[in-house]
Amino acid sequence: MTESLGDWRRTHYSRQVKPDMNSQKVTLMGWIHEIRDLGGIIFLLLRDRDGVTQITAPSKKVSPKLLEEIRKLRKESVVAVKGSVQESGKAPGGVEIIPEEIKLLNQSQQPLPLDPTEKVRAEIDTRLDSRFLDLRKHSVNSIFKIKSRMLHSVRLFLEEQEFIEINTPKLVASATEGGTELFPITYFEREAFLGQSPQLYKQMMMATSLDKVYEIAPIFRAEEHDTLRHLNEAISIDVEVAFADQDDVMILLEEMVANAIKDVKKSCSEELETIGVELEVPKTPFPRLQYSDVVDLVNAQGVNLRYGEDLSRAAEKAMGEVMDGYYFISGWPSEIKPFYVMPNSENPEISHAFDLMYRDLEISSGAMRVHLHDLLVDRIKSKGLNPDSFNRYLAAFQFGMPPHAGWGLGAERFTMCLTSAKNVRETVLFPRDRRRLTP
Ligand code: AMO
């Protein structure tokens, strides 16, 4: 009974079948969402990428052979249905299909490890184990349609501003963001690492005259913590701009973020409705807070944060209580920012680094960089690192490196903001976390 497509081809997706197409012949393809056999009439719900269509098979109108075939179908099997459209007040979308032929393309085994009809709620681990079934739910796949649109909009925005897309190595020899979060790998007879960030490469691009570059690619972090915000493999949207400082790239970042939200709101209205999210396009410029003010704000709420410390989870949560939306934190102490961040020339204790926050979630970090070779060597040493292991990177600073600035925006964290997802794993097809390496 299981057959190939032959000359059958889909003519419409569910949502394209409208009541004004009465009597029109259509071919739909998808999965059996539901079967209700009432004896004299069988209702099939056919689900595809867009939605669900009711296939109505009354014994008066449909041949006994076809009815028998329909009775053999099992939930989540793949079928193609040829039939005619009929207006129906009771059916979803105001239409039903009276079937003339049904082709079973692949019968599904039973029982299912997961119910894609969302009647039974499953735990995230069960869902991730059977992610292909989980992604049949429109509430789940909507998140990825939104993520895809966001990435499209980001690319378009940067391309329009004449940024050049680059691809940098993910097999690397050294750390960039502090030594503890690296995944070591065996590179022939040497030790190497999975790249934590394209940081050093995008900076080296600034010495080439390409001037404005971006990369959208995986970053690998050996985070020990099992949290709702951390992944071991994430997608970073990285940007670097020559002849620019932190203020220039903060403006670029907020404009890009606001533009992507506006675009997602317009282009993904159905997906947003499916997941029950009403997006608000933030006004630019975003509020700009100083790190020292953040310390005061956090302490005022009874959470202890000493000046010079990075924001703890409790401190982030306290900020989420007072700030409702996107905001920058600037003026970070140099001590807690990486070696490549430019210290303020008047007060080197303070750096030209910033974070972009959404309520209690950090979604991006950036800075003006150190472009002066000797200062960079000092900064590397002051972090307890050996400048010799950075000599190829440092060479780019000896023969004409312009002042430059940039940032990295986490694609999954930004998708959390767009979809109101509480767990970052919801925004990754196949997340990698402390315990999960499959599927
Ligand atoms: P940072 O380490 O702050 O900065 O990373 C930038 C952004 O990437 C995302 N991100 C993560 N998302 C999920 N899970 C993780 N484990 C994870 N780690 C990072 C966050 C974060 O804000 N080189 C600098 C950027 C720069 O200065 O250009 C960097 O990597 O959204």
Side-chain angles (χ1 to χ4, degrees):
M1 186 145 172
T2 304
E3 295 178 65
S4 67
L5 280 177
D7 58 359
W8 286 53
R9 288 297 177 273
R10 167 191 278 135
T11 59
H12 295 79
Y13 276 110
S14 280
R15 287 205 185 170
Q16 295 169 325
V17 182
K18 302 277 185 217
D20 64 3
M21 289 163 59
N22 218 357
S23 307
Q24 195 176 317
K25 298 264 188 275
V26 293
T27 304
L28 303 188
M29 296 190 181
W31 289 261
I32 307 277
H33 188 67
E34 203 79 76
I35 311 171
R36 256 175 296 143
D37 188 348
L38 307 182
I41 190 164
I42 308 175
F43 296 105
L44 273 187
L45 290 182
L46 181 87
R47 186 186 61 243
D48 61 20
R49 174 176 133 144
D50 274 7
V52 172
T53 300
Q54 182 172 299
I55 316 291
T56 308
S59 52
K60 278 188 224 142
K61 290 193 191 166
V62 170
S63 73
K65 183 171 165 281
L66 185 54
L67 281 177
E68 198 186 316
E69 274 175 29
I70 293 175
R71 289 209 164 92
K72 285 189 195 142
L73 298 174
R74 295 193 221 119
K75 278 175 89 170
E76 295 307 319
S77 299
V78 184
V79 295
V81 179
K82 272 188 199 170
S84 54
V85 178
Q86 191 167 298
E87 203 179 335
S88 159
K90 287 183 220 143
V95 279
E96 59 189 359
I97 310 287
I98 310 298
E100 282 154 25
E101 257 183 282
I102 293 189
K103 199 192 240 312
L104 175 61
L105 294 166
N106 211 344
Q107 186 82 289
S108 168
Q109 289 187 26
Q110 309 288 325
L112 299 160
L114 188 79
D115 175 20
T117 64
E118 307 194 49
K119 280 192 192 132
V120 191
R121 270 187 68 88
E123 293 299 323
I124 184 95
D125 270 323
T126 313
R127 291 176 43 207
L128 292 175
D129 286 343
S130 299
R131 193 59 153 160
F132 64 96
L133 276 173
D134 188 44
L135 281 155
R136 289 186 197 169
K137 301 174 194 163
H138 289 129
S139 64
V140 176
N141 64 41
S142 289
I143 294 174
F144 295 93
K145 292 181 184 166
I146 290 167
K147 188 180 185 183
S148 162
R149 185 69 206 187
M150 176 275 284
L151 289 170
H152 169 80
S153 151
V154 159
R155 275 179 205 283
L156 216 61
F157 180 87
L158 294 171
E159 296 283 343
E160 272 171 7
Q161 307 216 14
E162 299 183 340
F163 275 76
I164 292 165
E165 180 164 14
I166 58 166
N167 305 103
T168 66
K170 304 304 155 207
L171 297 173
V172 298
S174 60
T176 52
E177 310 298 320
T180 55
E181 296 170 359
L182 279 166
F183 281 116
I185 53 163
T186 305
Y187 192 71
F188 304 105
E189 50 290 320
R190 279 187 284 168
E191 188 184 50
F193 306 97
L194 294 178
Q196 287 177 303
S197 156
Q199 184 65 35
L200 305 190
Y201 295 101
K202 63 177 184 171
Q203 282 193 265
M204 285 158 80
M205 286 301 104
M206 299 298 98
T208 64
S209 84
L210 287 178
D211 271 17
K212 296 160 123 188
V213 301
Y214 76 98
E215 177 166 15
I216 301 179
I219 55 170
F220 301 92
R221 306 275 170 110
E223 307 273 359
E224 291 282 347
H225 317 286
D226 200 0
T227 78
L228 299 178
R229 307 173 312 286
H230 288 96
L231 295 161
N232 294 113
E233 178 175 355
I235 298 293
S236 179
I237 303 165
D238 270 275
V239 153
E240 204 66 24
V241 189
F243 304 99
D245 68 9
Q246 68 284 357
D247 294 325
D248 298 312
V249 294
M250 284 163 81
I251 294 170
L252 177 78
L253 177 56
E254 67 193 348
E255 290 302 332
M256 191 190 83
V257 162
N259 181 73
I261 297 169
K262 194 169 148 203
D263 183 38
V264 164
K265 188 179 166 82
K266 188 166 147 246
S267 309
C268 301
S269 54
E270 278 165 7
E271 287 78 15
L272 289 166
E273 199 186 321
T274 302
I275 59 172
V277 168
E278 214 166 298
L279 263 189
E280 217 177 287
V281 181
K283 284 201 182 71
T284 56
F286 297 161
R288 282 151 165 78
L289 277 64
Q290 288 297 304
Y291 168 83
S292 51
D293 297 330
V294 168
V295 173
D296 292 344
L297 274 169
V298 167
N299 279 292
Q301 288 181 87
V303 174
N304 186 29
L305 177 70
R306 269 183 296 122
Y307 186 93
E309 279 178 340
D310 206 349
L311 299 195
S312 59
R313 184 62 197 137
E316 285 180 343
K317 280 193 170 156
M319 285 308 294
E321 295 293 321
V322 278
M323 299 301 293
D324 180 38
Y326 294 87
Y327 60 100
F328 284 107
I329 304 177
S330 302
W332 289 85
S334 296
E335 174 125 22
I336 51 170
K337 286 290 171 184
F339 64 80
Y340 52 76
V341 167
M342 181 67 107
N344 187 318
S345 56
E346 275 149 38
N347 178 6
E349 306 276 292
I350 307 257
S351 74
H352 285 311
F354 58 85
D355 279 3
L356 176 63
M357 307 286 295
Y358 176 70
R359 298 180 181 165
D360 63 351
L361 184 69
E362 176 211 306
I363 65 166
S364 174
S365 302
M368 181 176 185
R369 323 299 191 182
V370 178
H371 64 287
L372 306 171
H373 175 269
D374 294 354
L375 179 56
L376 190 54
V377 171
D378 285 350
R379 292 273 303 153
I380 290 174
K381 283 188 194 154
S382 77
K383 296 284 171 188
L385 299 164
N386 181 0
D388 292 344
S389 47
F390 294 93
N391 55 4
R392 301 283 178 207
Y393 164 71
L394 285 168
F397 294 76
Q398 285 175 303
F399 306 98
M401 173 62 91
H404 59 279
W407 40 256
L409 168 69
E412 289 78 17
R413 295 228 181 136
F414 188 28
T415 305
M416 288 173 81
C417 307
L418 297 171
T419 59
S420 298
K422 296 281 173 286
N423 186 340
V424 70
R425 290 162 187 77
E426 298 277 1
T427 68
V428 191
L429 291 174
F430 299 106
R432 292 291 174 257
D433 64 25
R434 187 74 179 85
R435 289 166 299 117
R436 183 173 286 279
L437 203 49
T438 58

